[in-house]
C-alpha cells in the first residue's frame, strides 16, 4: 500500500566539509565534540582508521536491502520477488564494501553476509503487515527512502564574510501511519545492544530531532514524529533441533525486532536548534 504527497525539491546532502562558500555539519561531527581533537582529525584533517568498521558496513548493507525492498513493492505485488530484490540489495552493497563481512552464519564474527540476509528476510516478514505505508515521491516515482537533505542552520563570520552553515543528514524513510494518517520519519538501526535498553534511546536524541525538523522544514507538511526501528544482531547459533523456522537460522522472530514512536514539540525543536548552533560554533 502506498500514498503520495507533493514536496519541494530536496536539497541533497554533501560530505561534511568546509568550502570557501558553505560549511556543512552533521550529527556525526557534532556528536564527537566531547573530544575536539578527534573531531579535528576526523572532519578537518580527514584521517580515517585503516581498520574496517564491520558494524558500519553491516548497517549499510541492511539499509540497502530495505531500500531495495521498499522500491520493489511499488510496482510488483509478488512478495517473493520483492524479498529477492532485498537480498540482492544487501549483496550488492556487500560487494561495494569489498566483501568485508564474512560469509557464513556460523562464523565467529556475527555480522556475516548469511546472517544479514536472513535478518532481512525476518525483518520483512516481521513487519509485513505494518501500520506504516510507503509515501511516493512524485518527482522520482519512488518511496522516500535513503534521501539526503541540507537545511540552513546559521551564518558563520569568517574574515569579514558571512558563510552559511548547513545541517546535513539522510532520512532512511518517510512513511504514513494508517493509525493517524500522519507522516513519520523512519530511522532504521541495527545493533548488538539489548533491544530493551536500546529502544529507550529515542529522547533525548539529537539525530532524530534533527531529522524531524529537517522533514518539516523541507516538506512543509504534517510530520508527526519519528519511528525508532531497531533490529538486534545476535551471536545466537542456529538451532536445528527446534521446529521454529527462524530459530533454525539463529533469529528470535519476536525479540530481535522492536519499534517505538517518538514525537517532538516546538520547544524540543528550539532546544535542538540552540544546542546544534552552539556545537557548530565550537566546530
Amino acid at each position: 500500500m502506498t500514498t503520495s504527497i507533493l514536496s519541494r525539491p530536496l536539497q541533497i546532502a554533501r560530505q561534511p566539509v568546509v568550502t570557501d562558500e558553505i560549511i556543512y555539519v552533521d550529527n556525526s561531527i557534532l556528536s564527537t565534540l566531547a573530544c575536539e581533537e578527534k573531531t579535528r582529525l576526523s572532519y578537518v584533517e580527514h584521517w580515517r582508521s585503516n581498520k574496517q568498521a564491520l558494524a558500519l558496513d553491516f548497517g549499510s548493507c541492511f539499509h540497502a536491502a530495505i531500500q531495495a525492498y521498499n522500491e520493489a513493492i511499488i510496482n510488483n505485488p509478488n512478495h517473493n520477488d520483492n524479498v529477492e530484490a532485498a537480498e540482492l540489495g544487501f549483496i550488492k552493497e556487500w560487494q561495494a564494501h569489498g566483501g568485508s563481512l564474512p560469509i557464513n552464519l556460523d562464523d565467529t564474527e556475527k555480522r556475516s553476509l548469511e546472517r544479514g540476509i536472513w535478518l532481512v528476510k525476518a525483518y520483512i516478514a516481521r513487519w509485513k503487515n505494518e501500520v506504516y505505508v510507503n509515501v511516493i515521491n512524485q518527482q522520482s516515482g519512488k518511496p522516500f527512502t535513503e534521501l539526503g537533505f541540507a537545511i540552513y542552520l546559521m551564518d558563520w563570520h569568517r574574515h569579514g564574510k558571512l558563510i552559511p552553515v548547513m545541517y546535513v543528514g539522510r532520512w532512511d524513510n518517510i512513511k504514513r501511519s494508517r493509525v493517524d494518517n500522519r507522516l513519520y520519519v523512519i530511522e532504521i538501526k541495527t545493533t548488538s545492544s539489548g533491544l530493551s535498553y536500546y529502544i529507550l534511546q529515542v529522547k533525548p536524541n539529537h539525530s532524530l530531532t534533527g531529522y524531524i525538523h529537517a522533514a518539516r522544514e523541507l516538506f512543509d507538511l504534517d510530520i508527526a514524529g519519528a519511528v525508532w526501528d531497531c533490529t538486534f544482531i545476535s551471536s545466537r547459533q542456529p538451532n536445528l533441533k527446534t521446529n521454529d523456522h527462524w530459530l533454525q537460522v539463529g533469529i528470535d522472530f519476536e525479540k530481535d525486532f522492536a519499534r517505538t514512536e517518538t514525537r517532538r514539540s516546538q520547544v524540543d525543536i528550539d532546544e535542538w536548534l540552540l544546542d546544534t548552533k552552539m556545537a557548530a560554533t565550537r566546530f
Side-chain angles (χ1 to χ4, degrees):
M1 179 178 179
T2 61
T3 59
S4 62
I5 59 173
L6 291 171
S7 71
R8 306 177 193 168
L10 289 178
Q11 300 182 68
I12 303 302
R14 305 180 189 179
Q15 291 296 316
V17 299
V18 178
T19 72
D20 289 338
E21 296 84 20
I22 304 175
I23 300 173
Y24 296 94
V25 297
D26 65 9
N27 190 67
S28 296
I29 289 177
L30 304 182
S31 63
T32 65
L33 285 171
C35 176
E36 294 184 1
E37 180 63 5
K38 179 180 178 181
T39 305
R40 185 186 71 81
L41 292 174
S42 297
Y43 299 106
V44 180
E45 300 297 334
H46 305 294
W47 285 24
R48 293 291 182 268
S49 172
N50 290 328
K51 185 178 180 181
Q52 217 145 14
L54 292 184
L56 294 178
D57 289 355
F58 187 93
S60 295
C61 293
F62 192 88
H63 277 73
I66 303 308
Q67 177 184 7
Y69 174 78
N70 281 314
E71 291 180 356
I73 64 176
I74 297 303
N75 299 313
N76 187 354
N78 190 314
H79 175 73
N80 290 332
D81 287 349
N82 298 329
V83 174
E84 289 180 7
E87 293 179 47
L88 184 60
F90 194 103
I91 293 171
K92 284 183 176 179
E93 189 70 13
W94 173 71
Q95 292 172 332
H97 285 270
S100 59
L101 305 176
I103 295 177
N104 296 326
L105 181 64
D106 56 1
D107 194 279
T108 54
E109 168 53 57
K110 56 190 170 186
R111 291 178 175 86
S112 67
L113 173 64
E114 189 177 9
R115 187 181 296 275
I117 290 175
W118 277 114
L119 267 178
V120 166
K121 290 180 179 180
Y123 175 96
I124 292 171
R126 179 69 175 82
W127 305 119
K128 183 178 179 182
N129 299 313
E130 65 177 337
V131 299
Y132 305 102
V133 296
N134 277 315
V135 174
I136 301 303
N137 180 347
Q138 293 186 353
Q139 294 172 343
S140 67
K142 296 181 179 181
F144 283 87
T145 59
E146 299 298 331
L147 290 176
F149 64 81
I151 59 170
Y152 171 78
L153 181 64
M154 57 186 278
D155 285 324
W156 177 251
H157 295 261
R158 187 170 68 186
H159 306 309
K161 293 171 59 179
L162 280 180
I163 302 173
V165 178
M166 305 296 288
Y167 180 82
V168 302
R170 180 173 292 274
W171 299 297
D172 294 340
N173 208 330
I174 295 177
K175 292 190 173 187
R176 187 181 300 280
S177 170
R178 288 187 286 194
V179 174
D180 59 13
N181 204 37
R182 299 180 71 187
L183 298 174
Y184 289 82
V185 174
I186 311 296
E187 178 67 2
I188 298 172
K189 292 291 185 182
T190 56
T191 178
S192 58
S193 300
L195 289 193
S196 59
Y197 165 75
Y198 194 78
I199 199 69
L200 302 177
Q201 299 181 31
V202 294
K203 194 174 182 181
N205 186 313
H206 273 9
S207 177
L208 287 178
T209 307
Y211 293 158
I212 293 170
H213 173 63
R216 290 173 178 171
E217 284 286 295
L218 289 176
F219 296 144
D220 194 26
L221 289 170
D222 183 24
I223 304 293
V227 176
W228 190 240
D229 184 342
C230 307
T231 297
F232 178 60
I233 308 169
S234 77
S235 55
R236 193 183 301 114
Q237 290 299 304
N239 181 357
L240 301 180
K241 296 181 180 180
T242 179
N243 292 325
D244 187 302
H245 168 67
W246 296 111
L247 285 176
Q248 288 178 1
V249 291
I251 295 173
D252 188 316
F253 192 72
E254 297 299 327
K255 294 181 179 179
D256 289 353
F257 306 95
R259 283 177 170 176
T260 188
E261 288 183 7
T262 183
R263 306 197 180 206
R264 297 295 187 269
S265 67
Q266 189 56 50
V267 172
D268 294 327
I269 298 295
D270 291 343
E271 290 179 349
W272 174 83
L273 282 169
L274 178 61
D275 289 345
T276 304
K277 289 176 182 178
M278 292 176 65
T281 299
R282 289 176 61 200
F283 173 64

